[in-house]
Short mmCIF file of all heavy atoms in Angstrom, two decimals:
data_model
loop_
_atom_site.label_atom_id
_atom_site.label_comp_id
_atom_site.label_asym_id
_atom_site.label_seq_id
_atom_site.Cartn_x
_atom_site.Cartn_y
_atom_site.Cartn_z
N VAL A 1 38.32 96.66 -32.64
CA VAL A 1 39.24 97.18 -33.64
C VAL A 1 40.61 96.57 -33.35
O VAL A 1 41.06 96.60 -32.19
CB VAL A 1 39.33 98.72 -33.58
CG1 VAL A 1 40.33 99.22 -34.61
CG2 VAL A 1 37.95 99.34 -33.83
N PHE A 2 41.20 95.97 -34.37
CA PHE A 2 42.50 95.32 -34.23
C PHE A 2 43.57 96.25 -34.80
O PHE A 2 43.42 96.77 -35.92
CB PHE A 2 42.50 93.98 -34.94
CG PHE A 2 41.83 92.90 -34.16
CD1 PHE A 2 40.45 92.87 -34.02
CD2 PHE A 2 42.58 91.89 -33.55
CE1 PHE A 2 39.82 91.87 -33.28
CE2 PHE A 2 41.96 90.88 -32.82
CZ PHE A 2 40.58 90.87 -32.68
N TYR A 3 44.64 96.41 -34.04
CA TYR A 3 45.75 97.29 -34.43
C TYR A 3 47.06 96.50 -34.49
O TYR A 3 47.28 95.60 -33.66
CB TYR A 3 45.96 98.40 -33.40
CG TYR A 3 44.78 99.31 -33.19
CD1 TYR A 3 43.81 99.03 -32.24
CD2 TYR A 3 44.66 100.49 -33.92
CE1 TYR A 3 42.72 99.87 -32.04
CE2 TYR A 3 43.58 101.35 -33.72
CZ TYR A 3 42.63 101.02 -32.77
OH TYR A 3 41.57 101.88 -32.57
N CYS A 4 47.92 96.83 -35.42
CA CYS A 4 49.29 96.34 -35.34
C CYS A 4 50.18 97.50 -34.93
O CYS A 4 49.87 98.67 -35.18
CB CYS A 4 49.76 95.69 -36.64
SG CYS A 4 49.98 96.78 -38.03
N ALA A 5 51.26 97.16 -34.25
CA ALA A 5 52.17 98.16 -33.70
C ALA A 5 53.59 97.66 -33.75
O ALA A 5 53.82 96.45 -33.74
CB ALA A 5 51.76 98.47 -32.25
N ALA A 6 54.53 98.58 -33.78
CA ALA A 6 55.96 98.22 -33.90
C ALA A 6 56.73 98.79 -32.71
O ALA A 6 56.48 99.92 -32.26
CB ALA A 6 56.53 98.79 -35.20
N SER A 7 57.66 97.99 -32.21
CA SER A 7 58.46 98.37 -31.06
C SER A 7 59.93 98.30 -31.38
O SER A 7 60.40 97.33 -31.98
CB SER A 7 58.16 97.42 -29.89
OG SER A 7 59.06 97.66 -28.82
N ARG A 8 60.68 99.34 -30.95
CA ARG A 8 62.13 99.33 -31.03
C ARG A 8 62.74 99.26 -29.63
O ARG A 8 63.87 99.68 -29.42
CB ARG A 8 62.64 100.59 -31.73
CG ARG A 8 62.62 100.52 -33.24
CD ARG A 8 63.54 99.47 -33.81
NE ARG A 8 64.94 99.63 -33.45
CZ ARG A 8 65.79 100.41 -34.10
NH1 ARG A 8 65.38 101.12 -35.11
NH2 ARG A 8 67.05 100.47 -33.70
N ALA A 9 62.00 98.70 -28.68
CA ALA A 9 62.54 98.56 -27.32
C ALA A 9 63.76 97.64 -27.35
O ALA A 9 63.97 96.90 -28.32
CB ALA A 9 61.46 97.99 -26.38
N ILE A 10 64.51 97.65 -26.28
CA ILE A 10 65.74 96.85 -26.20
C ILE A 10 65.42 95.39 -26.50
O ILE A 10 64.44 94.84 -25.98
CB ILE A 10 66.37 97.00 -24.81
CG1 ILE A 10 66.88 98.42 -24.63
CG2 ILE A 10 67.51 96.00 -24.61
CD1 ILE A 10 67.41 98.70 -23.25
N ASN A 11 66.23 94.78 -27.34
CA ASN A 11 66.10 93.35 -27.72
C ASN A 11 64.88 93.06 -28.58
O ASN A 11 64.48 91.90 -28.69
CB ASN A 11 66.11 92.45 -26.50
CG ASN A 11 67.46 92.41 -25.82
OD1 ASN A 11 68.49 92.56 -26.50
ND2 ASN A 11 67.48 92.24 -24.53
N SER A 12 64.26 94.08 -29.17
CA SER A 12 63.07 93.85 -29.97
C SER A 12 63.34 92.95 -31.17
O SER A 12 62.41 92.41 -31.77
CB SER A 12 62.47 95.17 -30.44
OG SER A 12 63.39 95.92 -31.20
N GLN A 13 64.59 92.82 -31.57
CA GLN A 13 64.91 91.90 -32.67
C GLN A 13 64.73 90.43 -32.21
O GLN A 13 64.48 89.56 -33.05
CB GLN A 13 66.33 92.11 -33.14
CG GLN A 13 66.66 91.35 -34.42
CD GLN A 13 67.99 91.73 -35.02
OE1 GLN A 13 68.68 92.60 -34.51
NE2 GLN A 13 68.37 91.07 -36.10
N PHE A 14 64.80 90.17 -30.91
CA PHE A 14 64.79 88.80 -30.43
C PHE A 14 63.59 88.45 -29.55
O PHE A 14 63.30 87.28 -29.33
CB PHE A 14 66.08 88.55 -29.64
CG PHE A 14 67.30 88.93 -30.41
CD1 PHE A 14 68.06 90.02 -30.04
CD2 PHE A 14 67.68 88.21 -31.52
CE1 PHE A 14 69.18 90.39 -30.76
CE2 PHE A 14 68.81 88.56 -32.26
CZ PHE A 14 69.56 89.66 -31.86
N ILE A 15 62.92 89.43 -29.00
CA ILE A 15 61.75 89.19 -28.16
C ILE A 15 60.67 90.19 -28.53
O ILE A 15 60.93 91.14 -29.27
CB ILE A 15 62.07 89.32 -26.65
CG1 ILE A 15 62.58 90.73 -26.32
CG2 ILE A 15 63.07 88.27 -26.21
CD1 ILE A 15 62.80 90.98 -24.85
N CYS A 16 59.47 89.95 -28.03
CA CYS A 16 58.39 90.92 -28.22
C CYS A 16 57.70 91.18 -26.89
O CYS A 16 58.07 90.59 -25.88
CB CYS A 16 57.40 90.47 -29.30
SG CYS A 16 56.50 88.96 -28.91
N PHE A 17 56.72 92.06 -26.88
CA PHE A 17 56.18 92.60 -25.64
C PHE A 17 54.66 92.66 -25.68
O PHE A 17 54.08 92.87 -26.74
CB PHE A 17 56.74 94.00 -25.39
CG PHE A 17 58.19 94.13 -25.73
CD1 PHE A 17 58.59 94.64 -26.95
CD2 PHE A 17 59.17 93.72 -24.84
CE1 PHE A 17 59.91 94.75 -27.30
CE2 PHE A 17 60.51 93.81 -25.17
CZ PHE A 17 60.88 94.33 -26.40
N ASP A 18 54.01 92.52 -24.53
CA ASP A 18 52.55 92.63 -24.51
C ASP A 18 52.06 93.95 -23.89
O ASP A 18 50.87 94.14 -23.74
CB ASP A 18 51.90 91.44 -23.81
CG ASP A 18 52.36 91.28 -22.38
OD1 ASP A 18 53.05 92.19 -21.86
OD2 ASP A 18 52.00 90.26 -21.77
N GLU A 19 53.00 94.84 -23.55
CA GLU A 19 52.58 96.12 -22.98
C GLU A 19 52.40 97.16 -24.07
O GLU A 19 53.28 97.34 -24.92
CB GLU A 19 53.63 96.64 -21.99
CG GLU A 19 53.88 95.72 -20.82
CD GLU A 19 55.06 94.80 -21.05
OE1 GLU A 19 55.45 94.62 -22.25
OE2 GLU A 19 55.60 94.26 -20.08
N VAL A 20 51.29 97.85 -24.04
CA VAL A 20 50.99 98.89 -25.03
C VAL A 20 52.10 99.93 -25.07
O VAL A 20 52.50 100.38 -26.15
CB VAL A 20 49.62 99.55 -24.72
CG1 VAL A 20 49.41 100.79 -25.57
CG2 VAL A 20 48.49 98.56 -24.91
N ASN A 21 52.62 100.31 -23.91
CA ASN A 21 53.58 101.42 -23.87
C ASN A 21 54.97 101.04 -24.35
O ASN A 21 55.87 101.87 -24.36
CB ASN A 21 53.64 102.02 -22.47
CG ASN A 21 54.09 101.02 -21.42
OD1 ASN A 21 54.52 99.92 -21.75
ND2 ASN A 21 53.99 101.40 -20.16
N ARG A 22 55.18 99.79 -24.75
CA ARG A 22 56.45 99.39 -25.35
C ARG A 22 56.49 99.64 -26.86
O ARG A 22 57.52 99.48 -27.47
CB ARG A 22 56.70 97.91 -25.11
CG ARG A 22 56.90 97.53 -23.67
CD ARG A 22 58.27 97.88 -23.15
NE ARG A 22 58.58 97.13 -21.94
CZ ARG A 22 59.55 96.25 -21.83
NH1 ARG A 22 60.36 96.01 -22.85
NH2 ARG A 22 59.73 95.62 -20.70
N TYR A 23 55.36 100.03 -27.42
CA TYR A 23 55.25 100.16 -28.88
C TYR A 23 55.24 101.62 -29.28
O TYR A 23 54.55 102.45 -28.66
CB TYR A 23 54.00 99.42 -29.36
CG TYR A 23 54.19 97.93 -29.27
CD1 TYR A 23 53.97 97.25 -28.07
CD2 TYR A 23 54.65 97.19 -30.36
CE1 TYR A 23 54.20 95.89 -27.97
CE2 TYR A 23 54.89 95.83 -30.28
CZ TYR A 23 54.65 95.19 -29.07
OH TYR A 23 54.88 93.85 -28.97
N HIS A 24 56.00 101.91 -30.33
CA HIS A 24 56.24 103.30 -30.71
C HIS A 24 55.45 103.74 -31.93
O HIS A 24 55.24 104.92 -32.13
CB HIS A 24 57.74 103.47 -30.99
CG HIS A 24 58.60 103.00 -29.86
ND1 HIS A 24 59.13 101.73 -29.80
CD2 HIS A 24 59.02 103.62 -28.74
CE1 HIS A 24 59.84 101.59 -28.70
NE2 HIS A 24 59.79 102.72 -28.03
N TYR A 25 55.05 102.79 -32.76
CA TYR A 25 54.34 103.13 -34.00
C TYR A 25 53.09 102.27 -34.08
O TYR A 25 53.13 101.07 -33.78
CB TYR A 25 55.21 102.89 -35.23
CG TYR A 25 56.51 103.66 -35.21
CD1 TYR A 25 57.69 103.08 -34.77
CD2 TYR A 25 56.53 104.99 -35.63
CE1 TYR A 25 58.87 103.81 -34.77
CE2 TYR A 25 57.71 105.71 -35.62
CZ TYR A 25 58.86 105.12 -35.18
OH TYR A 25 60.03 105.84 -35.17
N TRP A 26 52.01 102.88 -34.53
CA TRP A 26 50.72 102.19 -34.58
C TRP A 26 50.04 102.42 -35.93
O TRP A 26 50.15 103.49 -36.53
CB TRP A 26 49.78 102.74 -33.50
CG TRP A 26 50.22 102.37 -32.11
CD1 TRP A 26 51.17 103.01 -31.36
CD2 TRP A 26 49.75 101.28 -31.34
NE1 TRP A 26 51.30 102.37 -30.15
CE2 TRP A 26 50.43 101.30 -30.10
CE3 TRP A 26 48.80 100.27 -31.55
CZ2 TRP A 26 50.21 100.37 -29.09
CZ3 TRP A 26 48.58 99.35 -30.55
CH2 TRP A 26 49.27 99.40 -29.34
N GLY A 27 49.33 101.38 -36.38
CA GLY A 27 48.46 101.55 -37.52
C GLY A 27 47.14 102.14 -37.10
O GLY A 27 46.90 102.39 -35.92
N ARG A 28 46.26 102.36 -38.07
CA ARG A 28 44.96 102.97 -37.78
C ARG A 28 43.90 101.95 -37.35
O ARG A 28 42.84 102.33 -36.88
CB ARG A 28 44.46 103.74 -38.99
CG ARG A 28 45.30 104.97 -39.29
CD ARG A 28 44.69 105.81 -40.38
NE ARG A 28 45.42 107.04 -40.57
CZ ARG A 28 45.06 108.01 -41.41
NH1 ARG A 28 43.96 107.87 -42.12
NH2 ARG A 28 45.79 109.09 -41.51
N GLY A 29 44.18 100.70 -37.55
CA GLY A 29 43.26 99.66 -37.09
C GLY A 29 42.34 99.14 -38.17
O GLY A 29 42.10 99.79 -39.20
N THR A 30 41.82 97.94 -37.94
CA THR A 30 40.84 97.32 -38.82
C THR A 30 39.76 96.70 -37.95
O THR A 30 40.05 96.04 -36.96
CB THR A 30 41.50 96.30 -39.76
OG1 THR A 30 40.53 95.81 -40.70
CG2 THR A 30 42.13 95.13 -39.02
N GLN A 31 38.49 96.93 -38.34
CA GLN A 31 37.37 96.48 -37.51
C GLN A 31 37.09 95.00 -37.75
O GLN A 31 36.97 94.56 -38.91
CB GLN A 31 36.11 97.30 -37.83
CG GLN A 31 34.86 96.84 -37.11
CD GLN A 31 34.88 97.15 -35.62
OE1 GLN A 31 35.25 98.24 -35.22
NE2 GLN A 31 34.48 96.18 -34.81
N VAL A 32 36.95 94.26 -36.66
CA VAL A 32 36.53 92.85 -36.73
C VAL A 32 35.22 92.76 -35.95
O VAL A 32 35.16 93.11 -34.76
CB VAL A 32 37.58 91.92 -36.12
CG1 VAL A 32 37.01 90.49 -36.00
CG2 VAL A 32 38.84 91.92 -36.97
#
């Protein structure tokens, strides 16, 4: 199941993160 998630962590406008706990909002997922 693939999920997209959004993060408002510091500098999220300029970098991104690979840690699950950095993301605050999640979709329900889509099965692949």
Side-chain angles (χ1 to χ4, degrees):
V1 179
F2 281 73
Y3 300 89
C4 69
S7 172
R8 278 295 302 275
I10 293 175
N11 291 329
S12 59
Q13 189 171 357
F14 308 110
I15 60 174
C16 64
F17 319 97
D18 59 8
E19 300 96 340
V20 170
N21 61 9
R22 294 283 198 117
Y23 288 83
H24 307 93
Y25 301 97
W26 291 82
R28 292 188 174 184
T30 185
Q31 175 70 46
V32 171

